[in-house]
Amino acid sequence: MNEYTKAVIDSTTEKNPAETEYLQAVREVLTTIDPVVEKHKEFKKLAILERMVEPERTIMFRVPWVNDEGQTIVNRGFRVQFSSLIGPYKGGLRFHPSVNLSIMKFLGFEQIFKNALTGLPIGGAKGGSNFNPKGKSDAEIMRFCQSFMTELYRHIGHDVDVPAGDIGVGGREIGYLFGQYRRIRDAYEGGVLTGKDPIYGGSLARTEATGYGLLFFMREMLAANNISIKDKTVTISGAGNVAIYACEKAQAMGAKVVTMSDSNGCIYDENGIDLALVKEIKEVKRGRIKEYLDKHPEAKYIEKSGSANPAWTTKTDIALPCATQNELNLEDAKTLVKNGVLAVGEGANMPCTEEATIYLLEHKILVAPAKAANAGGVATSAIEMTQNSIRYYYTFDEVVEKLDKIMTNIFKSCKDASEKYGVAGNYVAGANIAAFEKLAKAMEAQGVV
Ligand code: NDP
């Protein structure tokens, strides 16, 4: 590895010793862009890498709120404004008990590259809280969101920073956050948050965008390798926003999806997942995936034990991890390869561990990296911002058509970059290189800021 690249990895590790997820994301990007750094000796003098890995601004704040029993609870809020190089900070909010600074920084760092790949003018950010929405009443969720926004509002704006949803933050939460922002600012600024309901300024197809986009990318990647998705078996982890719409599009493309999961366990239905039922359980009742068996007793339920994810022990052609980071480890990768998997598509952010990705690539499995493959969500968020600015709304089909084009272009950028640097077929490296080249150029052009 280039000495400069290695020195930046070492100094980042030294400065952030406890931030394991963030360091994992930095290592993954920096090791794959090494050939570009090797070619551009001027990057060292300009400290391009040091500037790329350091957030422009990190905000941490207290979020006090009162639960239904009258108890005051204090959570921690975050917004990591990583880069505004090519557009306003843009990235989702995650509400999950595991949220900490390392996870926020890893997600913010990934987001810069992802957003650059979309070809749209958006910078990178991430935010959230260690608040756990599970089991909370609507009134508790609303009070939490209002308190969270009462601090966040001063740091965001449609030309400054535009948050959206992520794990634990869906349409309901975005609604409460937007309402509080609008009240504080005393103005309707539609483009300040994306993922809004279309009745008050959201984009049609934003809900479906990440899952659909993943399948558009997968279709292109398979086609470039002379494989069709039709009649393939697909295993999916997660049963949230990304997983549900990945399943919907995979089924529409003629594939058979046989698993979905949540943090408690996984369902396996050899007849193909009944998606209408999963939507009813997850989107309407906010229940557990196990309830699938109430209507389909012939399906199997496998309880999650330890770190193993039961979705990956099933024989499959295509595996789509759509739940959370590091949910597909080296053991899982070995099992998938042994069972003849053809492709892995990352719907979640960084779902494969470093070792798993290396193992899959070494075994010539096609890997669609998260930064590229799940960029459809943020790309559609950018389309939502456009609609808010022009005060005109596209039809569902118009948005999906734009999304399809964007995902097709993203795949092409990854493929071209991998070929240009002699790693053809390694779309993980291709995605990092394509995004990095663009960002480094923008950084050089804007001087030392
Ligand atoms: P949701 O909250 O809608 O769903 C998350 C799903 O993953 C749930 O089924 C949840 O189960 C499961 N899950 C969460 N944490 C764990 C865990 N530690 N172990 C096992 N299962 C878990 O989130 P999204 O679908 O929006 O996001 C999923 C992933 O996709 C995340 O990595 C997110 O960053 C990424 N992503 C999302 C985008 C979007 O537009 N929504 C855009 C790009 C990336 P349970 O309900 O039991 O917690």
Side-chain angles (χ1 to χ4, degrees):
M1 188 192 302
N2 186 292
E3 261 181 38
Y4 171 46
T5 309
K6 186 174 177 315
V8 175
I9 294 179
D10 288 347
S11 67
T12 310
T13 308
E14 207 175 299
K15 263 192 267 178
N16 308 279
E19 297 178 4
T20 50
E21 294 86 358
Y22 166 60
L23 292 172
Q24 180 183 343
V26 167
R27 272 195 309 274
E28 196 248 338
V29 170
L30 264 50
T31 49
T32 52
I33 57 159
D34 198 40
V36 190
V37 177
E38 183 68 39
K39 196 171 138 196
H40 291 273
K41 300 292 182 213
E42 72 280 12
F43 283 180
K44 183 173 179 209
K45 192 163 181 201
L46 294 168
I48 296 284
L49 295 184
E50 290 90 330
R51 285 195 273 160
M52 204 76 82
V53 301
E54 190 69 35
E56 286 176 17
R57 188 175 301 110
T58 302
I59 302 150
M60 276 171 69
F61 52 95
R62 183 175 67 197
V63 190
W65 59 282
V66 180
N67 74 10
D68 287 347
E69 283 73 51
Q71 175 67 48
T72 298
I73 313 279
V74 177
N75 283 105
R76 180 172 283 176
F78 298 87
R79 187 70 181 164
V80 179
Q81 297 179 329
F82 225 112
S83 170
S84 57
L85 201 49
I86 60 168
Y89 304 112
K90 180 90 195 84
L93 297 172
R94 176 177 292 192
F95 291 168
H96 193 272
S98 65
V99 163
N100 58 32
L101 187 58
S102 170
I103 290 182
M104 293 288 98
K105 282 172 68 180
F106 122 63
L107 290 164
F109 181 68
E110 293 274 300
Q111 198 79 44
I112 315 170
F113 295 85
K114 181 186 313 204
N115 294 3
L117 283 171
T118 64
L120 301 168
I122 38 180
K126 200 77 187 188
S129 172
N130 61 349
F131 172 72
N132 185 2
K134 231 177 271 173
K136 302 286 188 301
S137 68
D138 271 2
E140 288 176 321
I141 300 278
M142 182 178 75
R143 288 196 293 273
F144 176 81
C145 288
Q146 290 177 340
S147 179
F148 186 85
M149 184 52 86
T150 301
E151 172 59 32
L152 187 70
Y153 89 93
R154 70 190 85 242
H155 308 291
I156 62 176
H158 59 169
D159 284 329
V160 179
D161 183 352
V162 183
D166 190 72
I167 292 179
V169 179
R172 172 181 58 170
E173 291 75 18
I174 292 291
Y176 294 144
L177 290 164
F178 185 74
Q180 183 72 353
Y181 180 86
R182 194 175 52 74
R183 185 179 190 193
I184 294 173
R185 303 289 299 194
D186 197 16
Y188 177 91
E189 295 172 12
V192 71
L193 283 175
T194 59
K196 302 180 295 293
D197 190 305
I199 54 172
Y200 65 86
S203 175
L204 292 169
R206 173 59 187 91
T207 307
E208 293 82 356
T210 309
Y212 279 20
L214 172 65
L215 268 296
F216 293 147
F217 188 98
M218 180 59 71
R219 178 198 64 206
E220 294 301 307
M221 183 175 78
L222 293 177
N225 291 276
N226 300 313
I227 306 169
S228 159
I229 195 163
K230 194 163 181 310
D231 298 327
K232 295 286 183 296
T233 299
V234 176
T235 47
I236 295 181
S237 66
N241 174 264
V242 180
I244 285 176
Y245 293 96
C247 179
E248 183 164 289
K249 192 45 93 181
Q251 290 178 340
M253 288 178 171
K256 183 161 118 177
V257 180
V258 292
T259 68
M260 290 188 85
S261 67
D262 60 22
S263 53
N264 295 113
C266 172
I267 45 160
Y268 170 71
D269 189 339
E270 66 175 350
N271 299 319
I273 293 289
D274 176 351
L275 188 61
L277 178 60
V278 174
K279 283 188 182 178
E280 167 77 19
I281 295 169
K282 287 293 174 184
E283 295 184 335
V284 182
K285 293 204 279 179
R286 296 181 191 275
R288 308 307 299 159
I289 200 74
K290 194 177 181 179
E291 293 163 37
Y292 188 91
L293 297 195
D294 296 346
K295 196 155 168 217
H296 289 288
E298 74 287 1
K300 280 191 206 138
Y301 178 73
I302 314 157
E303 196 93 29
K304 189 170 184 250
S305 66
S307 66
N309 192 328
W312 316 132
T313 53
T314 305
K315 186 166 168 46
T316 189
D317 300 310
I318 297 166
L320 301 177
C322 295
T324 193
Q325 64 272 2
N326 292 328
E327 53 160 322
L328 195 161
N329 60 29
L330 180 59
E331 283 313 302
D332 300 322
K334 286 182 179 169
T335 311
L336 285 167
V337 170
K338 195 169 78 191
N339 284 336
V341 76
L342 300 170
V344 174
E346 296 188 318
N349 283 312
M350 207 167 74
C352 297
T353 63
E354 281 169 294
E355 299 80 10
T357 305
I358 292 168
Y359 186 86
L360 292 167
L361 291 172
E362 277 172 1
H363 288 79
K364 303 283 173 239
I365 308 304
L366 300 171
V367 179
K371 278 184 206 80
N374 72 22
V378 76
T380 307
S381 277
I383 298 172
E384 181 173 334
M385 290 161 71
T386 303
Q387 295 172 84
N388 293 140
S389 293
I390 62 174
R391 288 171 156 71
Y392 175 81
Y393 290 93
Y394 303 134
T395 64
F396 185 91
D397 289 347
E398 282 171 330
V399 178
V400 174
E401 196 187 318
K402 289 181 200 303
L403 170 66
D404 195 341
K405 276 196 193 131
I406 290 170
M407 297 311 296
T408 302
N409 282 337
I410 294 178
F411 174 72
K412 192 173 176 309
S413 309
C414 299
K415 182 170 175 287
D416 291 350
S418 72
E419 287 166 3
K420 181 174 162 192
Y421 283 92
V423 284
N426 180 346
Y427 307 114
V428 177
N432 290 338
I433 291 170
F436 176 73
E437 277 195 318
K438 180 174 178 178
L439 291 161
K441 252 189 215 158
M443 208 173 248
E444 256 188 283
Q446 292 182 28
V448 180
V449 288

